[in-house]
């Protein structure tokens, strides 16, 4: 194998091992905030399912499903005649998704630990696919989209949800820049591969969808304000489940990490409103279809 390809593959594997460890650690926190996440993402999630073509009886692939908040919504939509496969890189978060599906009484939900860039599912075995706030964490999102394309039957649809540009997601920008500053690390290109905002550059995700072979590619931008009672509720969410920020602060001693949290709190206070706390976000929902006659 060519040595630069070899280096890239090894780099990606190391990146994913670190990503898996981060999400294993953050899994319980993400799951504990499922109700807040549902409230925040309820409307964009409905739009994502519509754009992917999820309907009663569909077989749906849910990539980077986390603890399965959207998986359960999809399971409800497809009904017992349908099927949902929830996949994720982190075994700890997949175990939580499985518990949640069992608790909800959904026997048509299956869970599997799988790297989104190598799903290991049979060719053309799903009617629709979704990936909510996951694709931006892939070191090679084009490979992730090629896997989804392969997994869909010809004519099947996909919709992904990612964060848009930094200025439209100011709280994420504040968290990241403050964490990097306190960790003594240089500012990062927000669009670099595998980061929170890596697919937010205008036109980037559409180009990836087309390169993966999808037709009828279209992106919409949706506002999704995170409404919480106070800035401290937002910080509690971030401190228990925002794995990219936790990873950066993990290199600091306790006092230095507290100094970073305290500066974040101060900067995030500016989003306090008469209704509590309202953190603006903008999401990109991108849909595409595997063309008919491609097997
Ligand atoms: C922000 S969480 C979103 C979880 C869920 N989709 C939701 O919206 O509640 C991101 C998820 O992406 C998963 N992830 C990151 N890289 C991945 C990869 N290469 N393959 C599969 N899952 C991945 C993480 O383990 C984590 O569960």
């Amino acid at each position: 194998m060519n040595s630069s390809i070899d280096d890239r593959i090894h780099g990606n594997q190391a990146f994913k091992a670190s990503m898996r460890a981060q999400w294993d650690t953050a899994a319980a926190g993400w799951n504990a905030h499922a109700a807040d996440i549902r409230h925040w993402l309820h409307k964009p999630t409905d739009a994502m399912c519509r754009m992917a073509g999820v309907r009663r009886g569909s077989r749906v692939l849910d990539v980077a499903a986390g603890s399965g908040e959207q998986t359960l919504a999809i399971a409800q939509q497809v009904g017992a005649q349908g099927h949902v496969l929830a996949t994720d890189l982190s075994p700890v978060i997949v175990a939580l998704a499985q518990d949640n599906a069992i608790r909800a009484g959904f026997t048509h939900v299956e869970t599997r630990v799988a790297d989104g860039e190598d799903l290991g599912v049979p060719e053309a075995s799903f009617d629709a696919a979704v990936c909510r706030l996951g694709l931006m964490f892939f070191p090679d999102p084009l490979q992730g989209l090629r896997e989804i394309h392969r997994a869909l039957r010809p004519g099947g649809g996909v919709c992904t949800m990612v964060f848009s540009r930094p200025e439209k997601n100011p709280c994420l920008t504040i968290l990241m820049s403050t964490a990097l500053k306190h960790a003594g690390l240089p500012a990062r290109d927000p669009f670099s591969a595998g980061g929170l905002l890596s697919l937010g550059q205008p036109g980037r995700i559409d180009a990836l969808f087309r390169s993966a072979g999808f037709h009828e590619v279209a992106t919409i931008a949706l506002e999704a304000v995170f409404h919480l009672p106070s800035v401290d509720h937002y910080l509690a969410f971030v401190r228990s489940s925002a794995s990219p920020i936790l990873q950066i602060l993990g290199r600091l001693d306790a006092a230095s990490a507290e100094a970073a949290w305290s500066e974040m709190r101060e900067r995030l206070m500016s989003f306090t409103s008469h209704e509590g706390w309202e953190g603006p976000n903008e999401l990109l929902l991108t849909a595409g279809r595997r063309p008919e006659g491609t097997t």
Side-chain angles (χ1 to χ4, degrees):
M1 198 185 309
N2 170 322
S3 76
S4 73
I5 297 176
D6 212 9
D7 288 352
R8 205 188 62 219
I9 290 172
H10 283 116
N12 283 358
Q13 280 166 354
F15 180 90
K16 282 182 206 162
S18 156
M19 182 69 70
R20 182 184 298 113
Q22 285 172 46
W23 280 101
D24 278 350
T25 305
W30 189 263
N31 186 49
H33 287 89
D36 290 333
I37 294 168
R38 184 177 315 122
H39 192 239
W40 172 35
L41 296 179
H42 172 69
K43 284 189 184 153
T45 301
D46 281 354
M48 174 181 77
C49 292
R50 262 196 315 280
M51 287 168 72
V54 172
R55 31 185 86 82
R56 207 139 194 89
S58 296
R59 286 182 58 78
V60 182
L61 171 65
D62 186 355
V63 177
S67 57
E69 196 284 313
Q70 75 288 304
T71 312
L72 301 190
I74 296 165
Q76 187 76 45
Q77 285 182 40
V78 300
Q81 303 306 311
H83 184 81
V84 191
L85 175 63
T87 64
D88 197 281
L89 187 64
S90 152
V92 176
I93 216 162
V94 169
L96 291 167
Q98 188 172 15
D99 277 0
N100 290 334
I102 292 169
R103 244 187 273 273
F106 288 138
T107 52
H108 57 299
V109 172
E110 194 189 336
T111 59
R112 188 178 301 174
V113 177
D115 175 1
E117 294 177 12
D118 183 13
L119 288 164
V121 297
E123 155 93 22
S125 49
F126 292 92
D127 301 308
V130 298
C131 182
R132 188 178 85 173
L133 297 186
L135 191 65
M136 68 273 187
F137 292 127
F138 292 18
D140 187 352
L142 175 57
Q143 176 55 27
L145 289 170
R146 286 189 174 128
E147 267 299 84
I148 292 176
H149 186 274
R150 191 185 62 75
L152 284 173
R153 64 164 169 76
V158 57
C159 184
T160 63
M161 182 193 297
V162 298
F163 292 111
S164 73
R165 291 169 293 149
E167 59 276 26
K168 296 284 187 180
N169 294 283
C171 301
L172 299 183
T173 307
I174 288 172
L175 291 170
M176 188 55 82
S177 62
T178 313
L180 288 171
K181 185 183 88 177
H182 281 258
L185 295 170
R188 284 184 190 163
D189 172 359
F191 301 130
S192 62
L196 264 173
L197 303 176
S198 65
L199 297 176
Q201 202 165 25
R204 166 107 176 107
I205 193 157
D206 299 61
L208 290 173
F209 264 63
R210 290 195 187 95
S211 299
F214 288 108
H215 284 193
E216 299 173 39
V217 176
T219 292
I220 60 166
L222 284 186
E223 243 188 42
V225 178
F226 208 156
H227 286 274
L228 287 167
S230 71
V231 68
D232 291 317
H233 286 79
Y234 183 61
L235 277 172
F237 165 68
V238 173
R239 291 185 75 145
S240 66
S241 60
S243 105
I245 310 298
L246 300 178
Q247 193 216 11
I248 297 169
L249 294 184
R251 36 198 300 148
L252 299 182
D253 62 46
S256 311
E258 276 317 312
W261 290 117
S262 153
E263 184 179 334
M264 287 175 196
R265 184 176 188 281
E266 201 174 305
R267 296 181 68 188
L268 290 166
M269 280 287 276
S270 61
F271 299 100
T272 302
S273 72
H274 60 281
E275 287 181 23
W277 186 87
E278 299 182 44
N281 286 282
E282 188 182 75
L283 305 168
L284 299 179
L285 271 61
T286 307
R289 188 164 300 287
R290 177 172 178 173
E292 298 284 357
T294 48
T295 46

